[in-house]
Amino acid sequence: MIQENMKASAGARKATQRILVVQLVVTSLAVLIAAFLGGSEKAVSAGVGGGIGIVVTVYFALQVFSVRPGRTAAKMAQALYIGEAVKLVLTVLLFAVALVLFDLEFLPLILTYAATLAAYWLALL
């Protein structure tokens, strides 16, 4: 049973790495496209949007993987629920801070964030 849990954990970690790589690639492409089409201000905005998506993914992964293999299903579910709740709050806070502190273009910011969310789900396929 422990060996099965270890294999499942390794598979989940590999999927998480794949998600992060895809999010980084999507963000990088969005920054390049924004720079080409709109200049540095739009490129920075796209980078911040993608960065928010990546940061919350990293947080969620760290929260979920804080539960050691072999723990009860209730502990794993608790980590997932807490991770999702904090991820949502963290996302809102990061957007608020980004929009208040920096002069960002909203469209590249939100589109790149949305692209990282789409990449999250596509990388799971």
Side-chain angles (χ1 to χ4, degrees):
M1 172 125 160
I2 292 175
Q3 193 136 8
E4 289 174 13
N5 288 338
M6 299 285 274
K7 284 182 183 178
S9 179
R13 288 178 192 278
K14 194 168 202 124
T16 301
Q17 289 173 342
R18 186 171 55 246
I19 289 166
L20 288 169
V21 166
V22 171
Q23 285 183 320
L24 282 168
V25 168
V26 165
T27 299
S28 298
L29 288 173
V31 167
L32 290 172
I33 291 167
F36 180 73
L37 295 177
S40 63
E41 190 173 292
K42 286 183 176 43
V44 168
S45 299
V48 171
I52 290 171
I54 292 166
V55 166
V56 297
T57 298
V58 169
Y59 164 77
F60 182 73
L62 291 172
Q63 173 65 28
V64 169
F65 291 125
S66 71
V67 178
R68 291 189 323 267
R71 298 296 303 249
T72 64
K75 286 286 184 192
M76 180 54 84
Q78 181 182 19
L80 286 168
Y81 291 135
I82 290 171
E84 277 298 328
V86 174
K87 181 178 158 183
L88 178 62
V89 171
L90 183 60
T91 301
V92 171
L93 287 174
L94 289 172
F95 270 108
V97 168
L99 290 170
V100 168
L101 293 182
F102 305 106
D103 186 26
L104 298 173
E105 296 276 336
F106 185 74
L107 193 59
L109 175 79
I110 199 70
L111 287 178
T112 306
Y113 172 75
T116 64
L117 284 182
Y120 184 102
W121 292 106
L122 290 173
L124 291 174
L125 297 177

